[in-house]
Amino acid sequence: MTSHIEEVRKLQPVVMKQLETIFQKNRVAHAYLFEGAKGTGKVAVMRAFVKLLLCEKPIQNVSCETCRGCRRFESGNHPNFVQIEPDGQDIKKDQILQLIFEMNKTGLEAGRKIYVLHRADRMNTSAANTLLKFLEEPEGLVTAILLTDKSHAILPTIRSRSQIVSFRSIPYEERVKVLIDQGLTATMAATVSMVTNDVDESLELAKDEQFLQVRKTVLKLVEAAESNVNEAMLIVHEEWLPVLKEKEETERALDLLLFAYRDLVAVKANSDAAYTFPDLLPFYQRHALHISFEQLSNKIEAILKSKQQLHRNMNRTLLMEQLMLNLQGGFLFV
Ligand SMILES: [Zn+2]
């Protein structure tokens, strides 16, 4: 997603205000912990904040974009800015030692030095212990920014030495709007926003050939399952099983099927909930008249049961055939 300052402000207005105030009052701390779910714009905000801190002529708490500091940051080679990511599974002690060495090195550019730990929750204990003292009392003008979407996994000793910056989750309607602005159709935006909270991941999904194919298959399957079990079986054998080879792919497809039935419940209940598949609305409206809440609840239960069976590695052909029979009846064959 674009990290234009206006976009970032829209995404996280409170956080941006908080950081701009810190900058304005010249109260930049030694360490910040940015915590929030995936897709809440932590990296975009971090980049805006770091650029502001490195800018030589900020204008009203925004980086100027033209000075040497801004240009070096944008080109990815500002000498006072270092980023660390997990090396394999963990952020390791050696990485932290190297980082401290670089931060203490003299002869760097004058001014503030900044380091960022991506996925800071992946620091192993010895890495975290190595970082502690430096985090609290760095030499010179140094600021740490730790990013995490698993704040419960951050050691309390690290947490207590950091200023916490909490990122809000982005509401469904807002994510849909952003995606439409980025060129997705309203129906596709509705679907992918239901599958993931992460706007970037949503955009990738909407371009993923397999996902588009599976979405189409699910739409056909819902209508068939509700009218003609033989046709549903045919779709399963010709379009579902050959395409969905991996367990995770099957699970996502079953989730889409589940969302379709959730839509149907919402239509029947006349709720103004957001629909995963707005393009099925005419079908939902016709069909909702002929189906009871009890039948719908049984069907949803049948899909959930299939998901459990998937995890127990049940034969997938059998699993899908059984599911089609269960959806047809609206009562459960075990
Ligand atoms: Zn600048």
Side-chain angles (χ1 to χ4, degrees), residues 51-52 54-59 62-71:
K51 192 154 59 161
L52 178 61
L54 294 176
C55 177
E56 290 157 18
K57 302 185 209 85
I59 308 157
V62 177
S63 53
C64 74
E65 305 296 326
T66 54
C67 75
R68 206 166 69 115
C70 284
R71 280 184 284 124

PDB file of all heavy atoms in Angstrom, residues 51-52 54-59 62-71, ligand 1:
ATOM      1  N   LYS A  51      11.636   8.750   8.999  1.00  0.00           N
ATOM      2  CA  LYS A  51      12.011   9.780   8.021  1.00  0.00           C
ATOM      3  C   LYS A  51      11.930  11.169   8.660  1.00  0.00           C
ATOM      4  O   LYS A  51      12.806  12.011   8.457  1.00  0.00           O
ATOM      5  CB  LYS A  51      11.123   9.683   6.774  1.00  0.00           C
ATOM      6  CG  LYS A  51      11.650  10.529   5.633  1.00  0.00           C
ATOM      7  CD  LYS A  51      11.251  10.038   4.258  1.00  0.00           C
ATOM      8  CE  LYS A  51       9.763   9.972   4.061  1.00  0.00           C
ATOM      9  NZ  LYS A  51       9.403   9.945   2.629  1.00  0.00           N
ATOM     10  N   LEU A  52      10.887  11.363   9.469  1.00  0.00           N
ATOM     11  CA  LEU A  52      10.739  12.638  10.171  1.00  0.00           C
ATOM     12  C   LEU A  52      11.936  12.875  11.097  1.00  0.00           C
ATOM     13  O   LEU A  52      12.500  13.971  11.156  1.00  0.00           O
ATOM     14  CB  LEU A  52       9.423  12.625  10.961  1.00  0.00           C
ATOM     15  CG  LEU A  52       9.105  13.855  11.810  1.00  0.00           C
ATOM     16  CD1 LEU A  52       9.008  15.096  10.940  1.00  0.00           C
ATOM     17  CD2 LEU A  52       7.798  13.645  12.567  1.00  0.00           C
ATOM     18  N   LEU A  54      14.907  11.731  10.802  1.00  0.00           N
ATOM     19  CA  LEU A  54      16.160  11.885  10.060  1.00  0.00           C
ATOM     20  C   LEU A  54      16.161  13.123   9.163  1.00  0.00           C
ATOM     21  O   LEU A  54      17.190  13.488   8.598  1.00  0.00           O
ATOM     22  CB  LEU A  54      16.425  10.648   9.201  1.00  0.00           C
ATOM     23  CG  LEU A  54      16.705   9.333   9.958  1.00  0.00           C
ATOM     24  CD1 LEU A  54      16.852   8.174   8.978  1.00  0.00           C
ATOM     25  CD2 LEU A  54      17.945   9.446  10.829  1.00  0.00           C
ATOM     26  N   CYS A  55      14.993  13.746   9.013  1.00  0.00           N
ATOM     27  CA  CYS A  55      14.868  14.893   8.109  1.00  0.00           C
ATOM     28  C   CYS A  55      15.634  16.101   8.658  1.00  0.00           C
ATOM     29  O   CYS A  55      15.631  16.361   9.855  1.00  0.00           O
ATOM     30  CB  CYS A  55      13.390  15.250   7.925  1.00  0.00           C
ATOM     31  SG  CYS A  55      13.144  16.707   6.893  1.00  0.00           S
ATOM     32  N   GLU A  56      16.294  16.820   7.763  1.00  0.00           N
ATOM     33  CA  GLU A  56      17.088  17.973   8.189  1.00  0.00           C
ATOM     34  C   GLU A  56      16.258  19.254   8.263  1.00  0.00           C
ATOM     35  O   GLU A  56      16.618  20.192   8.963  1.00  0.00           O
ATOM     36  CB  GLU A  56      18.278  18.154   7.235  1.00  0.00           C
ATOM     37  CG  GLU A  56      19.322  17.046   7.404  1.00  0.00           C
ATOM     38  CD  GLU A  56      20.206  16.841   6.177  1.00  0.00           C
ATOM     39  OE1 GLU A  56      20.253  17.749   5.319  1.00  0.00           O
ATOM     40  OE2 GLU A  56      20.835  15.768   6.081  1.00  0.00           O
ATOM     41  N   LYS A  57      15.151  19.298   7.505  1.00  0.00           N
ATOM     42  CA  LYS A  57      14.303  20.508   7.542  1.00  0.00           C
ATOM     43  C   LYS A  57      12.823  20.144   7.576  1.00  0.00           C
ATOM     44  O   LYS A  57      12.086  20.424   6.626  1.00  0.00           O
ATOM     45  CB  LYS A  57      14.545  21.360   6.281  1.00  0.00           C
ATOM     46  CG  LYS A  57      15.962  21.816   6.068  1.00  0.00           C
ATOM     47  CD  LYS A  57      15.999  22.754   4.843  1.00  0.00           C
ATOM     48  CE  LYS A  57      17.328  22.711   4.135  1.00  0.00           C
ATOM     49  NZ  LYS A  57      17.447  21.600   3.147  1.00  0.00           N
ATOM     50  N   PRO A  58      12.384  19.513   8.658  1.00  0.00           N
ATOM     51  CA  PRO A  58      10.956  19.131   8.704  1.00  0.00           C
ATOM     52  C   PRO A  58      10.043  20.354   8.670  1.00  0.00           C
ATOM     53  O   PRO A  58      10.403  21.416   9.177  1.00  0.00           O
ATOM     54  CB  PRO A  58      10.830  18.386  10.034  1.00  0.00           C
ATOM     55  CG  PRO A  58      12.050  18.715  10.811  1.00  0.00           C
ATOM     56  CD  PRO A  58      13.115  19.146   9.871  1.00  0.00           C
ATOM     57  N   ILE A  59       8.891  20.174   8.033  1.00  0.00           N
ATOM     58  CA  ILE A  59       7.918  21.265   7.923  1.00  0.00           C
ATOM     59  C   ILE A  59       6.662  20.838   8.677  1.00  0.00           C
ATOM     60  O   ILE A  59       6.010  19.870   8.284  1.00  0.00           O
ATOM     61  CB  ILE A  59       7.568  21.533   6.437  1.00  0.00           C
ATOM     62  CG1 ILE A  59       8.856  21.730   5.622  1.00  0.00           C
ATOM     63  CG2 ILE A  59       6.640  22.727   6.315  1.00  0.00           C
ATOM     64  CD1 ILE A  59       8.673  21.446   4.144  1.00  0.00           C
ATOM     65  N   VAL A  62       6.318  17.203   9.564  1.00  0.00           N
ATOM     66  CA  VAL A  62       6.328  16.254   8.446  1.00  0.00           C
ATOM     67  C   VAL A  62       7.686  16.382   7.757  1.00  0.00           C
ATOM     68  O   VAL A  62       8.221  17.484   7.623  1.00  0.00           O
ATOM     69  CB  VAL A  62       5.196  16.564   7.436  1.00  0.00           C
ATOM     70  CG1 VAL A  62       5.270  15.618   6.244  1.00  0.00           C
ATOM     71  CG2 VAL A  62       3.841  16.467   8.110  1.00  0.00           C
ATOM     72  N   SER A  63       8.239  15.248   7.322  1.00  0.00           N
ATOM     73  CA  SER A  63       9.534  15.284   6.644  1.00  0.00           C
ATOM     74  C   SER A  63       9.410  16.058   5.340  1.00  0.00           C
ATOM     75  O   SER A  63       8.360  16.045   4.694  1.00  0.00           O
ATOM     76  CB  SER A  63      10.015  13.849   6.375  1.00  0.00           C
ATOM     77  OG  SER A  63       9.003  13.132   5.705  1.00  0.00           O
ATOM     78  N   CYS A  64      10.517  16.739   4.951  1.00  0.00           N
ATOM     79  CA  CYS A  64      10.432  17.662   3.811  1.00  0.00           C
ATOM     80  C   CYS A  64      10.472  16.938   2.463  1.00  0.00           C
ATOM     81  O   CYS A  64      10.047  17.479   1.450  1.00  0.00           O
ATOM     82  CB  CYS A  64      11.568  18.676   3.881  1.00  0.00           C
ATOM     83  SG  CYS A  64      13.180  17.979   3.434  1.00  0.00           S
ATOM     84  N   GLU A  65      10.995  15.711   2.449  1.00  0.00           N
ATOM     85  CA  GLU A  65      11.087  14.883   1.231  1.00  0.00           C
ATOM     86  C   GLU A  65      12.207  15.314   0.287  1.00  0.00           C
ATOM     87  O   GLU A  65      12.445  14.654  -0.718  1.00  0.00           O
ATOM     88  CB  GLU A  65       9.775  14.846   0.416  1.00  0.00           C
ATOM     89  CG  GLU A  65       8.548  14.411   1.193  1.00  0.00           C
ATOM     90  CD  GLU A  65       8.613  12.983   1.694  1.00  0.00           C
ATOM     91  OE1 GLU A  65       9.196  12.127   1.006  1.00  0.00           O
ATOM     92  OE2 GLU A  65       8.119  12.730   2.802  1.00  0.00           O
ATOM     93  N   THR A  66      12.858  16.449   0.549  1.00  0.00           N
ATOM     94  CA  THR A  66      13.847  16.917  -0.425  1.00  0.00           C
ATOM     95  C   THR A  66      15.262  17.000   0.149  1.00  0.00           C
ATOM     96  O   THR A  66      16.233  16.990  -0.610  1.00  0.00           O
ATOM     97  CB  THR A  66      13.462  18.307  -0.976  1.00  0.00           C
ATOM     98  OG1 THR A  66      13.264  19.184   0.129  1.00  0.00           O
ATOM     99  CG2 THR A  66      12.197  18.242  -1.804  1.00  0.00           C
ATOM    100  N   CYS A  67      15.404  17.078   1.464  1.00  0.00           N
ATOM    101  CA  CYS A  67      16.747  17.236   2.040  1.00  0.00           C
ATOM    102  C   CYS A  67      17.567  15.962   1.831  1.00  0.00           C
ATOM    103  O   CYS A  67      17.049  14.933   1.421  1.00  0.00           O
ATOM    104  CB  CYS A  67      16.661  17.590   3.518  1.00  0.00           C
ATOM    105  SG  CYS A  67      16.209  16.177   4.557  1.00  0.00           S
ATOM    106  N   ARG A  68      18.860  16.046   2.191  1.00  0.00           N
ATOM    107  CA  ARG A  68      19.734  14.890   2.001  1.00  0.00           C
ATOM    108  C   ARG A  68      19.269  13.700   2.865  1.00  0.00           C
ATOM    109  O   ARG A  68      19.272  12.557   2.425  1.00  0.00           O
ATOM    110  CB  ARG A  68      21.168  15.280   2.362  1.00  0.00           C
ATOM    111  CG  ARG A  68      22.211  14.465   1.653  1.00  0.00           C
ATOM    112  CD  ARG A  68      23.562  15.122   1.800  1.00  0.00           C
ATOM    113  NE  ARG A  68      24.008  15.034   3.188  1.00  0.00           N
ATOM    114  CZ  ARG A  68      25.081  14.338   3.576  1.00  0.00           C
ATOM    115  NH1 ARG A  68      25.802  13.687   2.687  1.00  0.00           N
ATOM    116  NH2 ARG A  68      25.421  14.304   4.836  1.00  0.00           N
ATOM    117  N   GLY A  69      18.849  14.025   4.121  1.00  0.00           N
ATOM    118  CA  GLY A  69      18.388  12.967   5.023  1.00  0.00           C
ATOM    119  C   GLY A  69      17.202  12.204   4.433  1.00  0.00           C
ATOM    120  O   GLY A  69      17.174  10.975   4.406  1.00  0.00           O
ATOM    121  N   CYS A  70      16.221  12.952   3.939  1.00  0.00           N
ATOM    122  CA  CYS A  70      15.029  12.319   3.345  1.00  0.00           C
ATOM    123  C   CYS A  70      15.415  11.471   2.135  1.00  0.00           C
ATOM    124  O   CYS A  70      14.946  10.354   1.976  1.00  0.00           O
ATOM    125  CB  CYS A  70      14.016  13.382   2.937  1.00  0.00           C
ATOM    126  SG  CYS A  70      13.108  14.073   4.334  1.00  0.00           S
ATOM    127  N   ARG A  71      16.285  12.039   1.280  1.00  0.00           N
ATOM    128  CA  ARG A  71      16.636  11.323   0.052  1.00  0.00           C
ATOM    129  C   ARG A  71      17.424  10.054   0.359  1.00  0.00           C
ATOM    130  O   ARG A  71      17.181   9.010  -0.238  1.00  0.00           O
ATOM    131  CB  ARG A  71      17.402  12.245  -0.897  1.00  0.00           C
ATOM    132  CG  ARG A  71      16.457  13.181  -1.672  1.00  0.00           C
ATOM    133  CD  ARG A  71      17.185  14.030  -2.686  1.00  0.00           C
ATOM    134  NE  ARG A  71      17.893  15.121  -2.030  1.00  0.00           N
ATOM    135  CZ  ARG A  71      19.198  15.344  -2.152  1.00  0.00           C
ATOM    136  NH1 ARG A  71      19.940  14.546  -2.889  1.00  0.00           N
ATOM    137  NH2 ARG A  71      19.750  16.356  -1.529  1.00  0.00           N
TER     138      ARG A  71
HETATM  139 ZN    ZN B   1      13.905  16.190   4.809  1.00  0.00          ZN
END
